[in-house]
Amino acid sequence: MKKILLIEDNEDVRENTAEILELANYQVVTAENGKIGIEKTKEFTPDIVLCDIMMPLMDGFEVLRAFEKDGSIASTPFIFLTAKTDRSDMRMGMNLGADDYLTKPFEEQELLDAIACRLNKHENLKKEIIKNLEGLNRFFGEVSEYEDMEGLSKNHSLKPYQKKEIIFWEGDNAHSLYFIESGNVKTYKSTESGKELVTGLYGPGDFVGQLSLLHAAGTYVENAVIMEEAELCAIPKSDFIKLLNGNPAVSQKFISLISNNLINVQTHLVDMAFATVRQRVAKALLELYEKGLIKDKPNKGMSIPREDFAGMIGTATETAIRTLSDFKDEGLITTDSGRRIIILDKEELLHIADC
């Protein structure tokens, strides 16, 4: 049973609306003002909120702002109920993140339809997105419907790239987010001495360029190059900004979609500073295995240049090669004729990584 929080200062409207919703098989919790409504969310997590605008103590706009600051309910669908029909009020509510706007008096069916529509769209956004072009286009289509976003790109297409082809250079104008449909991509920074510091290796389902689009200078903060033949989809920066600044439910979904393993960056930096070389090599191998870039069978995955692998773990190429040779002697990994690394003992690598 879906739960509704109804915040309305008019007792007759509050009781009549609650009765309509309960007869429609919703669980309803009511509040006579915004302050009480916010208090009730501490013990009751609603699936949707109906809120009047003109109320004592806190008006509806203040309630919505409070909801936006609370991460646990920020993405909850929010519908304003009001007797005011001023378009500026409607625009203000939508700009603050409201999902819909019903003018009192409203018809019973109008109310139920608005609630059902918002709950259905919210449920669709909660579904897991298949990380391929079809899933990406479906997400953009659902967001366009959910948010009524004008100008949001649809039906994105793929562009083929050849091995060693540059996607973008550090310092270039950051104009697109890139989605990898197939193939592999390396990102790196060039040091003053001309060496490469590998910042990431990415495969199908990953995104590159997202941090650059947030960079104050508006430029790419690293280089990106194709490691194997690939197909990529470019998402314009304008779409990226719209999705980040849109409805909280959409924003959260988009962030989770494009985040890759960014939440692990801090852990990776700590590892670079304090973990032993053996631990760092084991963790890097496991990370590449989880991404599907290396496998546990011959002639699968990709051949990773040892200097790139060394860049991932922040050590000299000779040190990385020596540690990989040690792992090979210990029966943890091996290589095939194409110099691809093959995982032989994942459990022992996990043990080394966790020591």
Side-chain angles (χ1 to χ4, degrees):
M1 182 181 292
K2 295 294 183 181
K3 297 172 288 186
I4 297 177
L5 173 61
L6 171 60
I7 307 174
E8 168 62 62
D9 66 320
N10 185 292
E11 184 176 0
D12 290 338
V13 174
R14 186 171 66 249
E15 291 182 354
N16 290 339
T17 304
E19 183 177 0
I20 291 171
L21 296 174
E22 288 169 348
L23 289 173
N25 204 32
Y26 290 110
Q27 179 184 346
V28 184
V29 170
T30 61
E32 57 267 35
N33 60 58
K35 187 175 181 179
I36 293 175
I38 291 173
E39 286 295 320
K40 289 194 174 183
T41 62
K42 296 178 180 179
E43 53 189 48
F44 167 84
T45 303
D47 294 298
I48 190 168
V49 177
L50 307 180
C51 184
D52 189 20
I53 290 184
M54 302 301 293
M55 297 184 295
L57 300 182
M58 291 181 73
D59 65 24
F61 298 135
E62 292 175 298
V63 173
L64 182 53
R65 289 191 186 98
F67 270 55
E68 297 298 327
K69 294 178 181 178
D70 187 337
S72 64
I73 54 175
S75 62
T76 302
F78 195 104
I79 298 177
F80 275 130
L81 307 176
T82 180
K84 298 189 69 174
T85 57
D86 192 319
R87 291 185 64 84
S88 63
D89 289 323
M90 182 182 298
R91 191 181 309 111
M92 180 177 179
M94 294 306 183
N95 287 341
L96 286 173
D99 296 279
D100 210 341
Y101 199 105
L102 290 177
T103 302
K104 297 182 286 188
F106 43 78
E107 298 293 331
E108 177 179 333
Q109 196 58 48
E110 181 184 9
L111 171 67
L112 296 177
D113 287 347
I115 292 172
C117 178
R118 286 297 157 184
L119 287 174
N120 182 58
K121 290 180 178 180
H122 190 67
E123 286 299 315
N124 286 336
L125 280 179
K126 290 165 63 177
K127 293 178 181 177
E128 184 176 355
I129 300 172
I130 300 174
K131 286 198 170 184
N132 57 24
L133 183 64
E134 181 182 352
L136 190 67
N137 280 329
R138 184 180 300 115
F139 169 73
F140 272 76
E142 289 174 352
V143 167
S144 295
E145 180 183 350
Y146 187 91
E147 279 282 270
D148 296 324
M149 285 187 174
E150 295 182 3
L152 192 66
S153 302
K154 298 179 183 178
N155 299 320
H156 298 84
S157 58
L158 297 173
K159 177 183 176 181
Y161 287 80
Q162 299 301 312
K163 185 175 181 179
K164 296 186 178 180
E165 187 173 351
I166 296 295
I167 306 169
F168 53 77
W169 290 106
E170 181 178 358
D172 283 351
N173 179 45
H175 53 74
S176 296
L177 169 70
Y178 290 89
F179 171 71
I180 306 171
E181 173 79 359
S182 63
N184 303 107
V185 172
K186 176 179 75 174
T187 56
Y188 66 96
K189 294 180 73 70
S190 299
T191 66
E192 292 183 359
S193 61
K195 293 185 177 181
E196 292 183 2
L197 174 63
V198 178
T199 54
L201 296 176
Y202 304 98
D206 287 336
F207 291 81
V208 291
Q210 55 272 69
L211 292 181
S212 299
L213 295 181
L214 296 172
H215 192 235
T219 58
Y220 287 110
V221 298
E222 57 193 356
N223 308 295
V225 62
I226 301 297
M227 297 187 70
E228 292 183 343
E229 289 187 0
E231 289 183 305
L232 273 60
C233 168
I235 299 171
K237 182 177 181 177
S238 57
D239 289 352
F240 177 84
I241 299 301
K242 286 177 185 176
L243 290 168
L244 281 187
N245 295 331
N247 181 281
V250 172
S251 178
Q252 288 184 16
K253 187 69 173 181
F254 184 58
I255 290 171
S256 68
L257 175 66
I258 67 174
S259 64
N260 297 338
N261 289 319
L262 294 180
I263 57 174
N264 295 324
V265 169
Q266 184 177 6
T267 300
H268 182 67
L269 291 175
V270 172
D271 287 343
M272 293 277 279
F274 301 109
T276 66
V277 172
R278 281 178 64 86
Q279 286 176 312
R280 281 144 56 188
V281 169
K283 289 183 178 184
L285 289 171
L286 291 168
E287 179 182 341
L288 293 170
Y289 177 79
E290 291 300 323
K291 286 186 173 184
L293 300 182
I294 60 177
K295 303 285 187 178
D296 53 9
K297 296 178 181 178
N299 304 315
K300 302 288 185 181
M302 63 175 292
S303 176
I304 300 172
R306 298 304 183 255
E307 58 269 23
D308 287 346
F309 186 82
M312 285 184 63
I313 61 175
T315 190
T317 302
E318 295 77 8
T319 302
I321 291 174
R322 185 166 56 251
T323 307
L324 289 171
S325 296
D326 290 343
F327 281 9
K328 189 173 181 179
D329 292 340
E330 295 167 27
L332 306 181
I333 63 172
T334 188
T335 55
D336 61 17
S337 58
R339 298 189 71 239
R340 300 177 186 88
I341 297 174
I342 304 165
I343 300 292
L344 297 179
D345 194 338
K346 182 181 176 183
E347 294 303 318
E348 184 58 24
L349 287 174
L350 284 167
H351 175 71
I352 294 171
D354 292 337
C355 286

